[in-house]
Amino acid sequence: MMRKSAQIAGIVFLFACMIALFWSGREVRQPGRRQVDYWFVAGVKDDSPPCVALFNQAQDSIYVNSIPIPWNEHEKKVLTAILSGDPPDMVNLVTPVPKWAARNALVALDAVIAADRLDTAQFFPSLWEEMKYRGRTYALPAYTGSYALFYNRRLLREAGLDPGRPPATWQEIREYSRRLTKRENGRIVRMGFIPQYGTIETPLIIAFELGARFIDPAGTRINLTDPVAVQAFQWERDFFDLYSVEEVSAFMGGFGYGNQHGFIAEKVALFINDNSFIDQIEKYHPGLDYGVAMIPTFGDSPSVSSAGSWWLAIPRGAKNKRDAWAFMKFVVSREIQLAESMSREETLFPVNRLAANDSTFLAMNPYVAIFSGQMEQSRSKSIVPLVHDIFWREFSLARERSLRGVMPPRQALQQAENTIQSFLDRALEYDTYVNARMKTEDFFD
């Protein structure tokens, strides 16, 4: 009991420090500190991440100077700085780590991880695997989001379904959707579930649950035509036996943002989204009668989610690696993960499993434990990291061809597989060329 009270007191102290810093309006740099230049990709706002203020407040020997860089040119800016020999000491990015590691743009961290005995089991497994390339570790995960099934209790009740029992299988998703769909004058005005609505790809999740592996263990051969991947595409295609793709697309055309979001406006009853969506509901429809449940399965298979992370790394040629590493360890610690996850306008999910399962975090809302459970069974969307953008372009095109009946699922996936493989072959050739001429920089070099 005393230990838990001390933990809560520590978190309260961190919040107090944060509030004091935010009310001051700006941080005052103290002379005599060693400076760490930290570049982070900015979104709509370029506010410095809370962890920077907390770190600068927590000690007086290192000062983290946070510098926002725009998303649309972050890759060019970081690579140019590295090639010029004057990179920042640390970066916070989201594009796949292997894309950077393959260019020898990042410092390998394995030696310092071992030297400092950093407990890597503190990270969710899928996120930790994203930090590696060719058996070496180049980054630490920093922030993530966890997905689950949102369901509208009122609409379930209205359709004669048990509002306390959301669909648990993909077959039930089809059955619930049929009963929840409503038409007026022949037009759809409400749907139960829409496979292509949201930021998570339904056939991808189904394929993951069925055990699909889209690339071989060596990372050299694409396998989009895995039979269970074909089965996942076929499930989505069969879903539209109840409706036409065209009428569903027309229905979705009336959706928007905020209170016009399909789920928030109660036009869609079942919807998979990440934990930050709770904040959107509270903002735009606080009285919404909804619940959150595990993502449906095929009965015997586990409920699988998909997750990725923003990550921290040290660019090759950085001048102050030791102090940058001190900040990185600070950011991923249990206490700071808790403080950041509970203080931002939109709730981020901790990458630290201890923080995600901390009683203080679990008490934030009734559904945190569900999101934490989904993270234990998550799979990375960084499936072919060296050609990440090509993979998702071709996967999306194959899905569209399958849905609209342009091609059978297997043929659509085969065409995508051929294209992705050709790009991957070229990327691997370049990777071999680079590694033959440039040594990876280790932390202690």
Side-chain angles (χ1 to χ4, degrees), residues 15-271:
F15 280 132
C17 291
M18 187 181 297
I19 291 169
L21 286 164
F22 288 166
W23 272 106
S24 69
R26 63 184 178 90
E27 292 180 282
V28 179
R29 181 177 179 183
Q30 298 178 9
R33 288 188 175 194
R34 300 185 301 277
Q35 179 167 308
V36 171
D37 287 331
Y38 171 45
W39 288 8
F40 66 97
V41 175
V44 177
K45 296 182 179 180
D46 61 1
D47 297 338
S48 179
C51 59
V52 174
L54 290 172
F55 182 78
N56 288 340
Q57 177 76 12
Q59 44 73 53
D60 57 9
S61 58
I62 305 168
Y63 179 83
V64 174
N65 178 39
S66 58
I67 303 168
I69 54 176
W71 169 260
N72 59 354
E73 55 184 61
H74 76 279
E75 188 168 344
K76 176 182 177 182
K77 188 174 180 66
V78 173
L79 288 174
T80 299
I82 292 171
L83 290 172
S84 70
D86 188 27
D89 298 298
M90 186 171 39
V91 291
N92 179 4
L93 303 173
V94 70
T95 45
V97 170
K99 284 186 67 175
W100 298 84
R103 302 167 177 172
N104 271 311
L106 304 177
V107 171
L109 302 175
D110 303 273
V112 71
I113 287 172
D116 284 7
R117 297 182 180 179
L118 181 71
D119 180 16
T120 59
Q122 68 183 297
F123 304 114
F124 287 107
S126 65
L127 304 183
W128 182 239
E129 287 305 309
E130 286 188 340
M131 305 299 105
K132 300 177 181 180
Y133 181 61
R134 287 181 174 263
R136 306 197 71 179
T137 307
Y138 291 89
L140 297 183
Y143 313 110
T144 190
S146 179
Y147 287 83
L149 177 72
F150 288 75
Y151 61 97
N152 186 308
R153 290 195 182 98
R154 185 185 72 81
L155 295 182
L156 262 63
R157 193 180 299 114
E158 184 181 300
L161 296 162
D162 184 351
R165 188 187 177 283
T169 68
W170 291 107
Q171 180 57 35
E172 288 183 338
I173 282 283
R174 284 175 56 89
E175 294 169 1
Y176 276 49
S177 192
R178 178 180 56 81
R179 294 180 62 173
L180 285 158
T181 296
K182 183 178 179 181
R183 296 175 184 270
E184 291 180 359
N185 299 320
R187 297 178 61 187
I188 296 174
V189 295
R190 186 183 73 202
M191 284 194 70
F193 181 74
I194 305 176
Q196 68 270 49
Y197 186 47
T199 57
I200 197 165
E201 294 77 8
T202 300
L204 178 75
I205 293 300
I206 292 176
F208 280 163
E209 289 185 341
L210 293 174
R213 296 290 172 181
F214 295 113
I215 190 169
D216 71 335
T220 59
R221 300 302 306 174
I222 306 299
N223 183 28
L224 274 189
T225 51
D226 185 320
V228 294
V230 176
Q231 182 181 341
F233 266 52
Q234 188 64 54
W235 182 93
E236 185 176 46
R237 184 164 173 171
D238 291 345
F239 182 89
F240 284 93
D241 288 345
L242 302 173
Y243 339 84
S244 73
V245 175
E246 290 73 21
E247 67 175 341
V248 173
S249 297
F251 171 61
M252 290 171 59
F255 297 169
Y257 297 97
N259 57 12
Q260 295 181 347
H261 184 280
F263 186 85
I264 292 174
E266 300 191 84
K267 294 181 178 180
V268 177
L270 306 165
F271 179 66

Side-chain angles (χ1 to χ4, degrees), residues 292-332:
V292 178
M294 300 291 279
I295 291 172
T297 72
F298 280 99
D300 295 336
S301 61
S303 174
V304 174
S305 181
S306 180
S309 68
W310 292 84
W311 44 269
L312 298 167
I314 300 172
R316 176 166 55 85
K319 307 296 190 298
N320 196 353
K321 291 184 284 192
R322 174 53 75 177
D323 289 340
W325 175 246
F327 177 70
M328 290 168 66
K329 290 192 298 180
F330 179 86
V331 173
V332 303

Side-chain angles (χ1 to χ4, degrees), residues 252-294:
M252 290 171 59
F255 297 169
Y257 297 97
N259 57 12
Q260 295 181 347
H261 184 280
F263 186 85
I264 292 174
E266 300 191 84
K267 294 181 178 180
V268 177
L270 306 165
F271 179 66
I272 297 175
N273 209 338
D274 68 76
N275 58 290
S276 69
F277 190 58
I278 291 175
D279 301 318
Q280 297 298 305
I281 294 172
E282 290 301 310
K283 182 176 181 180
Y284 296 107
H285 195 163
L288 185 66
D289 185 10
Y290 76 98
V292 178
M294 300 291 279

